[in-house]
Amino acid sequence: MRSLFRPPVLPDAGVLDDHRPLIRSLERRGFLRGGLSLGALTMLTGCDVSDSTSVGQALRAISAFNDGVQAALFDPNKLAPEYPASAVLKPPRFNAYYPIEEVKPVDGAAWRLELAGLIQDRTPWTREKIAALPQRETIIRHVCVEGWDYIGQWSGVPLRTFLERVGADLRAKYVAFKTADDYPSSIDMATALHPQTLLATTYAGETLPDPFGYPLRLRMSTKLGFKNPKWITAIEVTNTYPGGYWEDKGFNWFSGL
Ligand SMILES: Nc1nc2c(c(=O)[nH]1)N[C@H]1C(S)=C(S)[C@@H](COP(=O)(O)O)O[C@H]1N2
Ligand SMILES: [Mo]
């Protein structure tokens, strides 16, 4: 006879290992505490999570719930701390889903920023036209999920200024980005309109170096590093959830700091 007290047969921890990035991103914001077990996940979700697929589903449910909570808690006017110029790391620390030697520089003269979706004037933009828009500088902390961070000095046009200028529908849900290295990304409109969210074109007062997103990258003060696409080639305003490179692999989409 089966004893009521027989411990559940747990599959090996490899099932959780499949989902480490998402578990880490949930732990970072206190949604899960260190040392998640399958037992705890079962308790949290009320689901029997014994294989990789059901663990993935349970974690994604927690993550989607977490997106809503973070969006509700987000204060559109609260500025992140800024730092003195003496704290700025030069050069910045590089990261991408491939090593720095594999960066393919973008030809700035031929480059155009394409626009799509809920935007009145979708004429492509050149670097010169973007440089003529009002500029802002932020000296903020960049935090990567991998567990490192640095202070960076970025300037460019506030994304809000740009979206207003092109007649974007500011009530839409998402702003999505395409990049030269196939790293799709997307953010919520509230964050897009935040005063420290920039379409950055310089670092520490110099034109962005190739590895750091020349000619145009996103820099926000309120989200993890991976949410800041480099080498942007297109911006779309949409109400359809766009996902992103890491988000589609299980990282939490909102990823607020
Ligand atoms: N286009 C593109 N943007 C990207 C990435 C990438 O691989 N491709 N990596 C992201 C990650 S994980 C981080 S931490 C930051 C690193 O930015 P940095 O090299 O300017 O520090 O870029 C983000 N933006
Ligand atoms: Mo990152």
Side-chain angles (χ1 to χ4, degrees):
M1 210 188 96
R2 228 181 115 165
S3 157
L4 276 178
F5 300 105
R6 198 174 62 133
V9 181
L10 291 179
D12 65 280
V15 166
L16 285 179
D17 282 340
D18 289 348
H19 302 282
R20 279 300 155 205
L22 183 51
I23 291 173
R24 264 204 307 275
S25 89
L26 291 169
E27 283 173 350
R28 254 201 109 259
R29 51 194 50 80
F31 247 77
L32 293 175
R33 229 151 285 150
L36 174 72
S37 67
L38 290 172
L41 194 56
T42 305
M43 299 283 285
L44 265 171
T45 59
C47 307
D48 175 24
V49 287
S50 49
D51 57 57
S52 188
T53 309
S54 56
V55 167
Q57 280 164 356
L59 288 170
R60 274 191 293 279
I62 296 173
S63 181
F65 175 67
N66 192 13
D67 277 344
V69 172
Q70 290 181 80
L73 292 176
F74 182 73
D75 180 342
N77 301 311
K78 187 170 171 251
L79 296 181
E82 300 237 6
Y83 300 85
S86 57
V88 172
L89 180 70
K90 294 178 213 168
R93 177 162 171 173
F94 174 84
N95 199 22
Y97 64 91
Y98 46 84
I100 192 164
E101 302 76 45
E102 285 170 32
V103 169
K104 292 191 194 70
V106 169
D107 174 359
W111 176 88
R112 295 290 180 274
L113 176 65
E114 308 286 337
L115 300 180
L118 306 170
I119 293 177
Q120 274 162 22
D121 183 353
R122 294 189 290 271
T123 313
W125 284 64
T126 60
R127 281 177 315 152
E128 292 73 21
K129 259 178 76 189
I130 291 172
L133 292 171
Q135 307 284 304
R136 175 172 178 142
E137 182 181 88
T138 58
I139 301 183
I140 51 173
R141 190 179 296 278
H142 172 124
V143 181
C144 177
V145 259
E146 289 171 352
W148 48 268
D149 62 83
Y150 68 86
I151 308 288
Q153 178 180 15
W154 311 89
S155 73
V157 58
L159 182 54
R160 172 192 277 273
T161 305
F162 183 79
L163 291 175
E164 286 171 353
R165 182 63 65 98
V166 297
D169 179 356
L170 304 184
R171 295 157 311 170
K173 284 191 184 155
Y174 308 107
V175 180
F177 302 87
K178 281 188 190 159
T179 71
D181 65 339
D182 263 315
Y183 183 87
S185 190
S186 61
I187 59 172
D188 53 294
M189 183 61 78
T191 301
L193 300 178
H194 185 273
Q196 288 167 316
T197 295
L198 306 182
L199 288 174
T201 46
T202 80
Y203 184 84
E206 312 270 345
T207 300
L208 272 184
D210 286 322
F212 301 102
Y214 175 83
L216 190 77
R217 60 99 44 91
L218 186 66
R219 259 328 264 136
M220 301 174 283
S221 63
T222 58
K223 286 189 192 294
L224 286 170
F226 84 89
K227 295 293 296 184
N228 294 263
K230 307 195 269 192
W231 311 290
I232 294 172
T233 55
I235 297 180
E236 179 182 6
V237 173
T238 177
N239 284 310
T240 307
Y241 175 71
Y245 183 89
W246 289 113
E247 294 86 339
D248 298 350
K249 294 178 170 54
F251 276 65
N252 172 253
W253 178 75
F254 196 90
S255 281
L257 287 174

